[in-house]
Amino acid sequence: MEYFHSVQLREKFCNGCTLCVKVCPTEAIRVKEKAEIIGSRCIDCGECIRVCPNHAKTGKVDSLTDLENYKYKIALPDPAIFGQFGKTVNPNKILGSFMSLGFDEVVDVALACEYVSLAIKQVLRNHKGVPFISASCPAVIRLVQALYPDLIKYLIPVESPLEVAGQMALDLGLMKGYESHEIGIFYISPCPAKMTAVKQPVAREISTVNGVLSIVDLYGNILKFTQTDKCKPKDLKAKGLGYGWARAGGESLAISCSDNVVIDGIEQVNKILREIEIGKLTDVEYIECWACVGGCVGGPAVVENPFIARVRVRKLAESIGGALDEQKLLEVPPQYFDWQTALKPRQILKYDSDILNAISIANKVQEILDCLPGFDCGACGAPTCRAHAEDKIQGTTQEINCVFQKKESKK
Amino acid sequence: MMSSETATHTHIVKTEVLAMHFERAGEGSSKIKKSLQLIGIGPELLRRIAIISYEAEMNLVIHSLGGEISCEFYPDQVKIIAKDHGPGIANVEQAMLEGFSTATDDIREMGFGAGIGLPNIKRCADYLEVESTLGIGTTLVATVYL
């Protein structure tokens, strides 16, 4: 199966440095002349976008012109958007600005966050003793599928706010009398991982969301529109806890779980998953994981500094306040929260499907590895000496290209 | 079973383990897990072997004077071997019991040494051999069939 991934290289900006190679958690990048992304390995965490000094990496998203394909256009702004603008920008106007951008309606994703919180609470109540990993960050889900396949069973089987909001939007469009193909539902995303979650969902065949626009692409326009009188404010419909989902810790707060840990940043997530795998994390009920430092406000497709955005989101959430009411869950059909397909492992690192071949490759790799310095400097364009040796054996690189080996042979 | 004659069908990963070096504890088992993933071992076996190698490595860090953890892959089985140079286990059968631990108070305060290491390994392995001589050292061989 062909894997979709959103992260792309803008070749003209890449100067061939190897910073991105070193930060990729799945060793999915090699630099030859320019960086190349191994599509089958990319989990769209966006680390390479963040680290690139030349902004050569980007998340492939849709554009406002794609709205033209639909009669009734609905925007689903991720709550992270509320952290992007300062005090002078009224949050109600942020929601309202989407009408100025050409949308016919806005469904506040924070409201879906509220519903999802209630659904998670319900699952936690009925399954005592099982530690659950949150399944809201699509990059975390893909990391689990790729490197921790046996932990898939710990991912909480509750649909993400993105899909729940998508279904709410579809209902809205249908209620207004439009056919489903006339309704265009666009997620306003802080990251490329959500683009991938829409193009190739993990727990369903097809997403209800039709397209994804990035916060960074719309930022300027939103800022402009919020300053005009033409932009009419729209009510924030969710409780504070729903908006709080935009920052790491907000989900745990909303599901009011006290035995929880909150992990943000893909490197730390990787570490904690390893600890769960070897059975070290036993006294925790819920593990909230986000690929980005700070949570969604730290996404690679936002504008504001994540720490500033985090405080803004917290303040907004606190100023709205309110408690979650379980009765509210009755407003949404229960099947909206169900995974429609089972999550499958995705063994992206495997040498060969035949174990004898795989072992023989492993030995050949080891032979080459014994001749390399083991500095894992990345100068050859591969993240580690081992990865370079693997590329040679698998034929994706023609020769061993080690600066230290060359230096040695000149002596 | 599999001998050196079939050496091309064997792959070995080895890491030295230093006693009481908690900052590097887990590196050997990480290396083993990575190799298993590259060879393409399935999720459930992967996790069992990850637990065995981690617990065995921690045992070396906490209880031994240092040693080596290695993993041998064969087409039909994986062996995790933890070999140390002392001090040796006085009563191996007792050490296999749930809750039995010889860890010092210092170690327990660090959150280790609850005495679940060996029984945990036994639970995850298909076959476990522990040989120990006081003053000389311990060799643990845990086998998992593929």
Side-chain angles (χ1 to χ4, degrees), chain A residues 4 40 45 50 187 294:
Chain A
F4 175 90
S40 59
C45 65
R50 230 188 301 270
Y187 198 84

Short mmCIF file of all heavy atoms in Angstrom, two decimals, chain A residues 4 40 45 50 187 294:
data_model
loop_
_atom_site.label_atom_id
_atom_site.label_comp_id
_atom_site.label_asym_id
_atom_site.label_seq_id
_atom_site.Cartn_x
_atom_site.Cartn_y
_atom_site.Cartn_z
N PHE A 4 0.53 7.86 2.14
CA PHE A 4 0.50 9.30 1.89
C PHE A 4 1.30 9.99 2.98
O PHE A 4 1.27 9.59 4.13
CB PHE A 4 -0.94 9.81 1.93
CG PHE A 4 -1.03 11.30 1.81
CD1 PHE A 4 -1.13 11.89 0.57
CD2 PHE A 4 -0.98 12.11 2.94
CE1 PHE A 4 -1.18 13.28 0.46
CE2 PHE A 4 -1.02 13.49 2.83
CZ PHE A 4 -1.13 14.07 1.58
N SER A 40 7.62 6.10 2.60
CA SER A 40 7.04 5.00 3.37
C SER A 40 7.39 5.09 4.85
O SER A 40 6.78 4.43 5.68
CB SER A 40 7.53 3.66 2.81
OG SER A 40 8.94 3.62 2.88
N CYS A 45 5.53 14.07 11.52
CA CYS A 45 5.60 14.74 12.82
C CYS A 45 6.01 16.20 12.65
O CYS A 45 5.74 17.02 13.53
CB CYS A 45 6.58 14.02 13.75
SG CYS A 45 8.29 14.09 13.19
N ARG A 50 10.38 22.11 11.39
CA ARG A 50 10.75 22.99 12.48
C ARG A 50 12.25 23.31 12.49
O ARG A 50 12.66 24.42 12.74
CB ARG A 50 10.40 22.30 13.80
CG ARG A 50 9.61 23.13 14.75
CD ARG A 50 9.50 22.39 16.07
NE ARG A 50 8.86 21.09 15.93
CZ ARG A 50 7.55 20.93 16.03
NH1 ARG A 50 6.76 21.94 16.26
NH2 ARG A 50 7.03 19.72 15.90
N TYR A 187 -10.51 21.50 7.31
CA TYR A 187 -9.89 21.63 8.64
C TYR A 187 -8.81 22.69 8.58
O TYR A 187 -8.02 22.73 7.64
CB TYR A 187 -9.29 20.29 9.08
CG TYR A 187 -9.02 20.23 10.56
CD1 TYR A 187 -10.04 19.88 11.45
CD2 TYR A 187 -7.77 20.53 11.09
CE1 TYR A 187 -9.81 19.84 12.82
CE2 TYR A 187 -7.53 20.50 12.45
CZ TYR A 187 -8.56 20.15 13.32
OH TYR A 187 -8.34 20.11 14.67
N GLY A 294 4.54 21.59 23.58
CA GLY A 294 3.46 22.52 23.89
C GLY A 294 2.10 22.01 23.44
O GLY A 294 1.08 22.58 23.77
#
